PDB file of all heavy atoms in Angstrom:
ATOM      1  N   GLU A   1       2.946  -2.121   6.310  1.00 97.00           N
ATOM      2  CA  GLU A   1       3.660  -1.493   7.515  1.00 97.00           C
ATOM      3  C   GLU A   1       4.663  -0.502   7.061  1.00 97.00           C
ATOM      4  O   GLU A   1       4.790   0.587   7.665  1.00 97.00           O
ATOM      5  CB  GLU A   1       4.332  -2.678   8.218  1.00 97.00           C
ATOM      6  CG  GLU A   1       4.653  -2.172   9.706  1.00 97.00           C
ATOM      7  CD  GLU A   1       5.036  -3.430  10.512  1.00 97.00           C
ATOM      8  OE1 GLU A   1       4.246  -4.224  10.774  1.00 97.00           O
ATOM      9  OE2 GLU A   1       6.206  -3.380  11.014  1.00 97.00           O
ATOM     10  N   LYS A   2       5.442  -0.754   6.029  1.00 97.00           N
ATOM     11  CA  LYS A   2       6.519   0.128   5.473  1.00 97.00           C
ATOM     12  C   LYS A   2       5.770   1.498   4.998  1.00 97.00           C
ATOM     13  O   LYS A   2       6.376   2.480   5.247  1.00 97.00           O
ATOM     14  CB  LYS A   2       7.352  -0.478   4.419  1.00 97.00           C
ATOM     15  CG  LYS A   2       8.291  -1.556   4.795  1.00 97.00           C
ATOM     16  CD  LYS A   2       9.090  -2.011   3.660  1.00 97.00           C
ATOM     17  CE  LYS A   2      10.225  -2.963   4.011  1.00 97.00           C
ATOM     18  NZ  LYS A   2      11.234  -2.187   4.700  1.00 97.00           N
ATOM     19  N   SER A   3       4.564   1.331   4.555  1.00 97.00           N
ATOM     20  CA  SER A   3       3.943   2.576   3.927  1.00 97.00           C
ATOM     21  C   SER A   3       3.487   3.483   5.135  1.00 97.00           C
ATOM     22  O   SER A   3       3.378   4.614   4.935  1.00 97.00           O
ATOM     23  CB  SER A   3       2.724   2.134   3.213  1.00 97.00           C
ATOM     24  OG  SER A   3       1.611   1.779   3.993  1.00 97.00           O
ATOM     25  N   LEU A   4       3.351   2.872   6.322  1.00 96.00           N
ATOM     26  CA  LEU A   4       2.935   3.673   7.503  1.00 96.00           C
ATOM     27  C   LEU A   4       4.116   4.456   8.148  1.00 96.00           C
ATOM     28  O   LEU A   4       3.867   5.507   8.688  1.00 96.00           O
ATOM     29  CB  LEU A   4       2.347   2.829   8.563  1.00 96.00           C
ATOM     30  CG  LEU A   4       0.991   2.144   8.189  1.00 96.00           C
ATOM     31  CD1 LEU A   4       0.651   1.121   9.316  1.00 96.00           C
ATOM     32  CD2 LEU A   4      -0.056   3.153   7.993  1.00 96.00           C
ATOM     33  N   TYR A   5       5.342   3.823   7.982  1.00 95.00           N
ATOM     34  CA  TYR A   5       6.459   4.374   8.853  1.00 95.00           C
ATOM     35  C   TYR A   5       7.565   5.069   7.885  1.00 95.00           C
ATOM     36  O   TYR A   5       8.468   5.635   8.499  1.00 95.00           O
ATOM     37  CB  TYR A   5       7.044   3.274   9.759  1.00 95.00           C
ATOM     38  CG  TYR A   5       5.989   2.827  10.690  1.00 95.00           C
ATOM     39  CD1 TYR A   5       5.424   1.566  10.520  1.00 95.00           C
ATOM     40  CD2 TYR A   5       5.533   3.634  11.785  1.00 95.00           C
ATOM     41  CE1 TYR A   5       4.485   1.060  11.483  1.00 95.00           C
ATOM     42  CE2 TYR A   5       4.491   3.171  12.569  1.00 95.00           C
ATOM     43  CZ  TYR A   5       4.014   1.902  12.366  1.00 95.00           C
ATOM     44  OH  TYR A   5       3.055   1.412  13.300  1.00 95.00           O
ATOM     45  N   GLU A   6       7.436   4.909   6.635  1.00 96.00           N
ATOM     46  CA  GLU A   6       8.516   5.368   5.777  1.00 96.00           C
ATOM     47  C   GLU A   6       7.788   6.112   4.631  1.00 96.00           C
ATOM     48  O   GLU A   6       6.710   5.749   4.197  1.00 96.00           O
ATOM     49  CB  GLU A   6       9.329   4.305   5.214  1.00 96.00           C
ATOM     50  CG  GLU A   6      10.122   3.573   6.234  1.00 96.00           C
ATOM     51  CD  GLU A   6      10.953   2.415   5.673  1.00 96.00           C
ATOM     52  OE1 GLU A   6      11.363   2.465   4.606  1.00 96.00           O
ATOM     53  OE2 GLU A   6      10.901   1.382   6.374  1.00 96.00           O
ATOM     54  N   PHE A   7       8.412   7.155   4.060  1.00 95.00           N
ATOM     55  CA  PHE A   7       7.793   7.911   2.962  1.00 95.00           C
ATOM     56  C   PHE A   7       8.291   7.301   1.607  1.00 95.00           C
ATOM     57  O   PHE A   7       9.485   7.032   1.381  1.00 95.00           O
ATOM     58  CB  PHE A   7       8.257   9.383   2.995  1.00 95.00           C
ATOM     59  CG  PHE A   7       7.697  10.115   1.706  1.00 95.00           C
ATOM     60  CD1 PHE A   7       6.412  10.498   1.729  1.00 95.00           C
ATOM     61  CD2 PHE A   7       8.514  10.416   0.651  1.00 95.00           C
ATOM     62  CE1 PHE A   7       5.918  11.255   0.591  1.00 95.00           C
ATOM     63  CE2 PHE A   7       8.043  11.048  -0.398  1.00 95.00           C
ATOM     64  CZ  PHE A   7       6.681  11.407  -0.484  1.00 95.00           C
ATOM     65  N   TYR A   8       7.316   7.159   0.595  1.00 97.00           N
ATOM     66  CA  TYR A   8       7.711   6.762  -0.768  1.00 97.00           C
ATOM     67  C   TYR A   8       6.881   7.667  -1.660  1.00 97.00           C
ATOM     68  O   TYR A   8       5.767   8.018  -1.412  1.00 97.00           O
ATOM     69  CB  TYR A   8       7.185   5.264  -0.884  1.00 97.00           C
ATOM     70  CG  TYR A   8       8.010   4.362   0.060  1.00 97.00           C
ATOM     71  CD1 TYR A   8       7.374   3.976   1.234  1.00 97.00           C
ATOM     72  CD2 TYR A   8       9.195   3.866  -0.254  1.00 97.00           C
ATOM     73  CE1 TYR A   8       8.015   3.049   2.109  1.00 97.00           C
ATOM     74  CE2 TYR A   8       9.937   3.077   0.494  1.00 97.00           C
ATOM     75  CZ  TYR A   8       9.317   2.682   1.669  1.00 97.00           C
ATOM     76  OH  TYR A   8       9.961   1.847   2.573  1.00 97.00           O
ATOM     77  N   ASP A   9       7.578   8.016  -2.776  1.00 96.00           N
ATOM     78  CA  ASP A   9       6.938   8.808  -3.792  1.00 96.00           C
ATOM     79  C   ASP A   9       5.961   7.918  -4.688  1.00 96.00           C
ATOM     80  O   ASP A   9       5.099   8.559  -5.257  1.00 96.00           O
ATOM     81  CB  ASP A   9       8.012   9.371  -4.745  1.00 96.00           C
ATOM     82  CG  ASP A   9       8.967  10.280  -4.011  1.00 96.00           C
ATOM     83  OD1 ASP A   9       8.555  11.394  -3.659  1.00 96.00           O
ATOM     84  OD2 ASP A   9      10.142   9.851  -3.693  1.00 96.00           O
ATOM     85  N   LEU A  10       6.204   6.612  -4.626  1.00 98.00           N
ATOM     86  CA  LEU A  10       5.297   5.792  -5.516  1.00 98.00           C
ATOM     87  C   LEU A  10       5.395   4.335  -4.980  1.00 98.00           C
ATOM     88  O   LEU A  10       6.412   3.812  -4.410  1.00 98.00           O
ATOM     89  CB  LEU A  10       5.952   5.719  -7.011  1.00 98.00           C
ATOM     90  CG  LEU A  10       5.284   4.793  -7.917  1.00 98.00           C
ATOM     91  CD1 LEU A  10       3.790   5.261  -8.130  1.00 98.00           C
ATOM     92  CD2 LEU A  10       6.042   4.657  -9.263  1.00 98.00           C
ATOM     93  N   PHE A  11       4.205   3.735  -4.970  1.00 98.00           N
ATOM     94  CA  PHE A  11       4.077   2.372  -4.610  1.00 98.00           C
ATOM     95  C   PHE A  11       3.794   1.529  -5.862  1.00 98.00           C
ATOM     96  O   PHE A  11       2.914   1.861  -6.650  1.00 98.00           O
ATOM     97  CB  PHE A  11       2.956   2.085  -3.624  1.00 98.00           C
ATOM     98  CG  PHE A  11       3.127   2.843  -2.289  1.00 98.00           C
ATOM     99  CD1 PHE A  11       2.723   4.174  -2.263  1.00 98.00           C
ATOM    100  CD2 PHE A  11       3.636   2.342  -1.258  1.00 98.00           C
ATOM    101  CE1 PHE A  11       2.828   4.850  -1.063  1.00 98.00           C
ATOM    102  CE2 PHE A  11       3.902   2.914  -0.106  1.00 98.00           C
ATOM    103  CZ  PHE A  11       3.448   4.315  -0.036  1.00 98.00           C
ATOM    104  N   ILE A  12       4.474   0.333  -5.960  1.00 98.00           N
ATOM    105  CA  ILE A  12       4.196  -0.598  -7.139  1.00 98.00           C
ATOM    106  C   ILE A  12       3.702  -1.959  -6.442  1.00 98.00           C
ATOM    107  O   ILE A  12       4.566  -2.490  -5.757  1.00 98.00           O
ATOM    108  CB  ILE A  12       5.391  -0.790  -8.051  1.00 98.00           C
ATOM    109  CG1 ILE A  12       5.850   0.453  -8.710  1.00 98.00           C
ATOM    110  CG2 ILE A  12       5.106  -1.885  -9.106  1.00 98.00           C
ATOM    111  CD1 ILE A  12       7.079   0.448  -9.543  1.00 98.00           C
ATOM    112  N   LEU A  13       2.503  -2.367  -6.614  1.00 98.00           N
ATOM    113  CA  LEU A  13       1.941  -3.423  -5.937  1.00 98.00           C
ATOM    114  C   LEU A  13       1.388  -4.608  -6.879  1.00 98.00           C
ATOM    115  O   LEU A  13       0.825  -4.210  -7.857  1.00 98.00           O
ATOM    116  CB  LEU A  13       0.790  -3.000  -5.140  1.00 98.00           C
ATOM    117  CG  LEU A  13       0.957  -1.710  -4.189  1.00 98.00           C
ATOM    118  CD1 LEU A  13      -0.387  -1.381  -3.565  1.00 98.00           C
ATOM    119  CD2 LEU A  13       1.959  -1.929  -3.157  1.00 98.00           C
ATOM    120  N   ASP A  14       1.881  -5.786  -6.505  1.00 97.00           N
ATOM    121  CA  ASP A  14       1.193  -6.933  -7.256  1.00 97.00           C
ATOM    122  C   ASP A  14      -0.184  -7.161  -6.789  1.00 97.00           C
ATOM    123  O   ASP A  14      -0.460  -6.958  -5.573  1.00 97.00           O
ATOM    124  CB  ASP A  14       2.149  -8.180  -7.061  1.00 97.00           C
ATOM    125  CG  ASP A  14       1.811  -9.254  -7.853  1.00 97.00           C
ATOM    126  OD1 ASP A  14       1.372  -9.130  -9.019  1.00 97.00           O
ATOM    127  OD2 ASP A  14       1.965 -10.444  -7.384  1.00 97.00           O
ATOM    128  N   GLU A  15      -0.980  -7.490  -7.712  1.00 96.00           N
ATOM    129  CA  GLU A  15      -2.406  -7.843  -7.260  1.00 96.00           C
ATOM    130  C   GLU A  15      -2.583  -9.174  -6.496  1.00 96.00           C
ATOM    131  O   GLU A  15      -3.132  -9.208  -5.486  1.00 96.00           O
ATOM    132  CB  GLU A  15      -3.274  -7.961  -8.595  1.00 96.00           C
ATOM    133  CG  GLU A  15      -4.645  -8.382  -8.247  1.00 96.00           C
ATOM    134  CD  GLU A  15      -5.503  -7.602  -7.274  1.00 96.00           C
ATOM    135  OE1 GLU A  15      -5.073  -6.467  -6.720  1.00 96.00           O
ATOM    136  OE2 GLU A  15      -6.510  -8.067  -6.739  1.00 96.00           O
ATOM    137  N   ARG A  16      -1.981 -10.142  -7.019  1.00 95.00           N
ATOM    138  CA  ARG A  16      -2.060 -11.544  -6.378  1.00 95.00           C
ATOM    139  C   ARG A  16      -0.949 -11.906  -5.481  1.00 95.00           C
ATOM    140  O   ARG A  16       0.209 -12.218  -6.072  1.00 95.00           O
ATOM    141  CB  ARG A  16      -2.374 -12.572  -7.444  1.00 95.00           C
ATOM    142  CG  ARG A  16      -3.726 -12.341  -8.223  1.00 95.00           C
ATOM    143  CD  ARG A  16      -4.208 -13.653  -8.738  1.00 95.00           C
ATOM    144  NE  ARG A  16      -5.468 -13.448  -9.411  1.00 95.00           N
ATOM    145  CZ  ARG A  16      -5.983 -14.357 -10.197  1.00 95.00           C
ATOM    146  NH1 ARG A  16      -5.394 -15.380 -10.570  1.00 95.00           N
ATOM    147  NH2 ARG A  16      -7.174 -13.951 -10.773  1.00 95.00           N
ATOM    148  N   MET A  17      -1.235 -11.898  -4.180  1.00 94.00           N
ATOM    149  CA  MET A  17      -0.130 -12.228  -3.174  1.00 94.00           C
ATOM    150  C   MET A  17      -0.812 -13.001  -2.161  1.00 94.00           C
ATOM    151  O   MET A  17      -1.937 -12.856  -1.878  1.00 94.00           O
ATOM    152  CB  MET A  17       0.488 -10.987  -2.520  1.00 94.00           C
ATOM    153  CG  MET A  17       1.303 -10.188  -3.540  1.00 94.00           C
ATOM    154  SD  MET A  17       2.079  -8.718  -2.741  1.00 94.00           S
ATOM    155  CE  MET A  17       0.645  -7.605  -2.548  1.00 94.00           C
ATOM    156  N   PRO A  18      -0.029 -13.853  -1.414  1.00 92.00           N
ATOM    157  CA  PRO A  18      -0.618 -14.510  -0.195  1.00 92.00           C
ATOM    158  C   PRO A  18      -0.961 -13.516   0.849  1.00 92.00           C
ATOM    159  O   PRO A  18      -0.335 -12.425   0.986  1.00 92.00           O
ATOM    160  CB  PRO A  18       0.574 -15.392   0.256  1.00 92.00           C
ATOM    161  CG  PRO A  18       1.575 -15.416  -0.890  1.00 92.00           C
ATOM    162  CD  PRO A  18       1.343 -14.265  -1.670  1.00 92.00           C
ATOM    163  N   LEU A  19      -2.010 -13.742   1.601  1.00 91.00           N
ATOM    164  CA  LEU A  19      -2.471 -12.894   2.703  1.00 91.00           C
ATOM    165  C   LEU A  19      -3.257 -11.625   2.330  1.00 91.00           C
ATOM    166  O   LEU A  19      -4.157 -11.270   3.003  1.00 91.00           O
ATOM    167  CB  LEU A  19      -1.326 -12.511   3.625  1.00 91.00           C
ATOM    168  CG  LEU A  19      -0.471 -13.750   4.113  1.00 91.00           C
ATOM    169  CD1 LEU A  19       0.623 -13.215   5.075  1.00 91.00           C
ATOM    170  CD2 LEU A  19      -1.382 -14.715   5.000  1.00 91.00           C
ATOM    171  N   VAL A  20      -2.774 -10.964   1.338  1.00 95.00           N
ATOM    172  CA  VAL A  20      -3.395  -9.722   0.902  1.00 95.00           C
ATOM    173  C   VAL A  20      -3.396  -9.515  -0.542  1.00 95.00           C
ATOM    174  O   VAL A  20      -2.443  -9.732  -1.244  1.00 95.00           O
ATOM    175  CB  VAL A  20      -2.803  -8.480   1.711  1.00 95.00           C
ATOM    176  CG1 VAL A  20      -1.341  -8.330   1.221  1.00 95.00           C
ATOM    177  CG2 VAL A  20      -3.552  -7.268   1.512  1.00 95.00           C
ATOM    178  N   LEU A  21      -4.498  -8.993  -1.083  1.00 96.00           N
ATOM    179  CA  LEU A  21      -4.549  -8.601  -2.549  1.00 96.00           C
ATOM    180  C   LEU A  21      -3.929  -7.180  -2.757  1.00 96.00           C
ATOM    181  O   LEU A  21      -4.085  -6.300  -1.816  1.00 96.00           O
ATOM    182  CB  LEU A  21      -5.960  -8.642  -3.076  1.00 96.00           C
ATOM    183  CG  LEU A  21      -6.621  -9.879  -3.153  1.00 96.00           C
ATOM    184  CD1 LEU A  21      -8.018  -9.782  -3.551  1.00 96.00           C
ATOM    185  CD2 LEU A  21      -5.935 -10.966  -4.150  1.00 96.00           C
ATOM    186  N   GLY A  22      -3.426  -6.916  -3.865  1.00 97.00           N
ATOM    187  CA  GLY A  22      -2.883  -5.605  -4.156  1.00 97.00           C
ATOM    188  C   GLY A  22      -4.014  -4.526  -4.058  1.00 97.00           C
ATOM    189  O   GLY A  22      -3.716  -3.419  -3.477  1.00 97.00           O
ATOM    190  N   THR A  23      -5.220  -4.846  -4.550  1.00 97.00           N
ATOM    191  CA  THR A  23      -6.338  -3.913  -4.479  1.00 97.00           C
ATOM    192  C   THR A  23      -6.615  -3.511  -3.037  1.00 97.00           C
ATOM    193  O   THR A  23      -6.911  -2.462  -2.695  1.00 97.00           O
ATOM    194  CB  THR A  23      -7.540  -4.353  -5.251  1.00 97.00           C
ATOM    195  OG1 THR A  23      -7.762  -5.694  -4.764  1.00 97.00           O
ATOM    196  CG2 THR A  23      -7.346  -4.313  -6.688  1.00 97.00           C
ATOM    197  N   GLU A  24      -6.474  -4.536  -2.089  1.00 97.00           N
ATOM    198  CA  GLU A  24      -6.663  -4.204  -0.636  1.00 97.00           C
ATOM    199  C   GLU A  24      -5.656  -3.366  -0.090  1.00 97.00           C
ATOM    200  O   GLU A  24      -5.922  -2.533   0.669  1.00 97.00           O
ATOM    201  CB  GLU A  24      -6.741  -5.632   0.110  1.00 97.00           C
ATOM    202  CG  GLU A  24      -7.931  -6.550  -0.220  1.00 97.00           C
ATOM    203  CD  GLU A  24      -7.819  -7.858   0.365  1.00 97.00           C
ATOM    204  OE1 GLU A  24      -6.646  -8.402   0.521  1.00 97.00           O
ATOM    205  OE2 GLU A  24      -8.884  -8.482   0.628  1.00 97.00           O
ATOM    206  N   LEU A  25      -4.493  -3.545  -0.561  1.00 97.00           N
ATOM    207  CA  LEU A  25      -3.322  -2.778  -0.154  1.00 97.00           C
ATOM    208  C   LEU A  25      -3.554  -1.320  -0.622  1.00 97.00           C
ATOM    209  O   LEU A  25      -3.254  -0.298   0.001  1.00 97.00           O
ATOM    210  CB  LEU A  25      -1.953  -3.213  -0.723  1.00 97.00           C
ATOM    211  CG  LEU A  25      -1.121  -4.230   0.136  1.00 97.00           C
ATOM    212  CD1 LEU A  25       0.132  -4.647  -0.532  1.00 97.00           C
ATOM    213  CD2 LEU A  25      -0.918  -3.713   1.559  1.00 97.00           C
ATOM    214  N   VAL A  26      -3.960  -1.095  -1.872  1.00 97.00           N
ATOM    215  CA  VAL A  26      -4.352   0.205  -2.395  1.00 97.00           C
ATOM    216  C   VAL A  26      -5.307   0.942  -1.512  1.00 97.00           C
ATOM    217  O   VAL A  26      -5.035   2.096  -1.148  1.00 97.00           O
ATOM    218  CB  VAL A  26      -4.943   0.053  -3.859  1.00 97.00           C
ATOM    219  CG1 VAL A  26      -5.443   1.446  -4.316  1.00 97.00           C
ATOM    220  CG2 VAL A  26      -3.912  -0.471  -4.913  1.00 97.00           C
ATOM    221  N   GLU A  27      -6.265   0.248  -1.208  1.00 97.00           N
ATOM    222  CA  GLU A  27      -7.299   0.778  -0.285  1.00 97.00           C
ATOM    223  C   GLU A  27      -6.661   1.202   1.114  1.00 97.00           C
ATOM    224  O   GLU A  27      -6.999   2.306   1.604  1.00 97.00           O
ATOM    225  CB  GLU A  27      -8.505  -0.069   0.018  1.00 97.00           C
ATOM    226  CG  GLU A  27      -9.382  -0.341  -1.231  1.00 97.00           C
ATOM    227  CD  GLU A  27     -10.434  -1.452  -1.082  1.00 97.00           C
ATOM    228  OE1 GLU A  27     -10.102  -2.395  -0.217  1.00 97.00           O
ATOM    229  OE2 GLU A  27     -11.348  -1.393  -1.791  1.00 97.00           O
ATOM    230  N   ASP A  28      -5.885   0.288   1.693  1.00 97.00           N
ATOM    231  CA  ASP A  28      -5.283   0.636   2.997  1.00 97.00           C
ATOM    232  C   ASP A  28      -4.275   1.790   2.904  1.00 97.00           C
ATOM    233  O   ASP A  28      -4.381   2.690   3.736  1.00 97.00           O
ATOM    234  CB  ASP A  28      -4.543  -0.609   3.532  1.00 97.00           C
ATOM    235  CG  ASP A  28      -5.529  -1.798   3.867  1.00 97.00           C
ATOM    236  OD1 ASP A  28      -6.752  -1.507   4.039  1.00 97.00           O
ATOM    237  OD2 ASP A  28      -5.058  -2.862   4.013  1.00 97.00           O
ATOM    238  N   ILE A  29      -3.514   1.767   1.912  1.00 97.00           N
ATOM    239  CA  ILE A  29      -2.450   2.849   1.757  1.00 97.00           C
ATOM    240  C   ILE A  29      -3.195   4.231   1.434  1.00 97.00           C
ATOM    241  O   ILE A  29      -2.889   5.155   2.162  1.00 97.00           O
ATOM    242  CB  ILE A  29      -1.516   2.560   0.592  1.00 97.00           C
ATOM    243  CG1 ILE A  29      -0.607   1.361   1.051  1.00 97.00           C
ATOM    244  CG2 ILE A  29      -0.654   3.784   0.284  1.00 97.00           C
ATOM    245  CD1 ILE A  29       0.237   0.727  -0.117  1.00 97.00           C
ATOM    246  N   LYS A  30      -4.260   4.096   0.543  1.00 96.00           N
ATOM    247  CA  LYS A  30      -4.914   5.470   0.258  1.00 96.00           C
ATOM    248  C   LYS A  30      -5.843   5.911   1.466  1.00 96.00           C
ATOM    249  O   LYS A  30      -5.899   7.150   1.557  1.00 96.00           O
ATOM    250  CB  LYS A  30      -5.850   5.227  -0.918  1.00 96.00           C
ATOM    251  CG  LYS A  30      -4.917   5.280  -2.283  1.00 96.00           C
ATOM    252  CD  LYS A  30      -5.847   5.417  -3.447  1.00 96.00           C
ATOM    253  CE  LYS A  30      -5.008   5.752  -4.642  1.00 96.00           C
ATOM    254  NZ  LYS A  30      -4.815   7.147  -4.945  1.00 96.00           N
ATOM    255  N   ARG A  31      -6.202   5.025   2.401  1.00 96.00           N
ATOM    256  CA  ARG A  31      -6.892   5.450   3.476  1.00 96.00           C
ATOM    257  C   ARG A  31      -6.033   6.251   4.409  1.00 96.00           C
ATOM    258  O   ARG A  31      -6.344   7.225   4.956  1.00 96.00           O
ATOM    259  CB  ARG A  31      -7.432   4.200   4.229  1.00 96.00           C
ATOM    260  CG  ARG A  31      -8.288   4.641   5.469  1.00 96.00           C
ATOM    261  CD  ARG A  31      -8.728   3.401   6.260  1.00 96.00           C
ATOM    262  NE  ARG A  31      -7.537   2.711   6.779  1.00 96.00           N
ATOM    263  CZ  ARG A  31      -7.352   1.317   6.380  1.00 96.00           C
ATOM    264  NH1 ARG A  31      -8.222   0.682   5.709  1.00 96.00           N
ATOM    265  NH2 ARG A  31      -6.341   0.779   6.901  1.00 96.00           N
ATOM    266  N   ASP A  32      -4.762   5.756   4.571  1.00 94.00           N
ATOM    267  CA  ASP A  32      -3.825   6.433   5.388  1.00 94.00           C
ATOM    268  C   ASP A  32      -3.083   7.660   4.757  1.00 94.00           C
ATOM    269  O   ASP A  32      -2.660   8.505   5.411  1.00 94.00           O
ATOM    270  CB  ASP A  32      -2.707   5.474   5.876  1.00 94.00           C
ATOM    271  CG  ASP A  32      -3.340   4.186   6.634  1.00 94.00           C
ATOM    272  OD1 ASP A  32      -4.199   4.517   7.453  1.00 94.00           O
ATOM    273  OD2 ASP A  32      -2.816   3.120   6.330  1.00 94.00           O
ATOM    274  N   ASN A  33      -3.009   7.527   3.443  1.00 93.00           N
ATOM    275  CA  ASN A  33      -2.354   8.561   2.603  1.00 93.00           C
ATOM    276  C   ASN A  33      -3.063   8.803   1.204  1.00 93.00           C
ATOM    277  O   ASN A  33      -2.708   8.200   0.278  1.00 93.00           O
ATOM    278  CB  ASN A  33      -0.878   8.207   2.369  1.00 93.00           C
ATOM    279  CG  ASN A  33      -0.059   9.147   1.475  1.00 93.00           C
ATOM    280  OD1 ASN A  33      -0.649  10.238   1.205  1.00 93.00           O
ATOM    281  ND2 ASN A  33       1.051   8.821   1.130  1.00 93.00           N
ATOM    282  N   PRO A  34      -4.103   9.593   1.250  1.00 93.00           N
ATOM    283  CA  PRO A  34      -4.966   9.846   0.073  1.00 93.00           C
ATOM    284  C   PRO A  34      -4.195  10.246  -1.156  1.00 93.00           C
ATOM    285  O   PRO A  34      -4.574  10.055  -2.256  1.00 93.00           O
ATOM    286  CB  PRO A  34      -6.111  10.791   0.513  1.00 93.00           C
ATOM    287  CG  PRO A  34      -6.010  10.789   2.004  1.00 93.00           C
ATOM    288  CD  PRO A  34      -4.664  10.384   2.443  1.00 93.00           C
ATOM    289  N   GLN A  35      -3.116  10.904  -0.879  1.00 93.00           N
ATOM    290  CA  GLN A  35      -2.290  11.465  -2.012  1.00 93.00           C
ATOM    291  C   GLN A  35      -1.330  10.453  -2.582  1.00 93.00           C
ATOM    292  O   GLN A  35      -0.583  10.715  -3.630  1.00 93.00           O
ATOM    293  CB  GLN A  35      -1.519  12.615  -1.532  1.00 93.00           C
ATOM    294  CG  GLN A  35      -2.324  13.795  -0.977  1.00 93.00           C
ATOM    295  CD  GLN A  35      -3.552  14.262  -1.846  1.00 93.00           C
ATOM    296  OE1 GLN A  35      -3.201  14.485  -3.064  1.00 93.00           O
ATOM    297  NE2 GLN A  35      -4.652  14.435  -1.422  1.00 93.00           N
ATOM    298  N   ALA A  36      -1.221   9.173  -2.036  1.00 95.00           N
ATOM    299  CA  ALA A  36      -0.257   8.245  -2.496  1.00 95.00           C
ATOM    300  C   ALA A  36      -0.440   7.929  -4.002  1.00 95.00           C
ATOM    301  O   ALA A  36      -1.569   7.790  -4.449  1.00 95.00           O
ATOM    302  CB  ALA A  36      -0.453   6.877  -1.658  1.00 95.00           C
TER     303      ALA A  36
END
């Protein structure tokens, strides 16, 4: 949600989290912001 409404120069994501995998977040963020 933060990636949608705020600008970041870089995202650092953990792979194993409850509810969502980091790789899934990568896909979602890149879908909305291919240059992320």
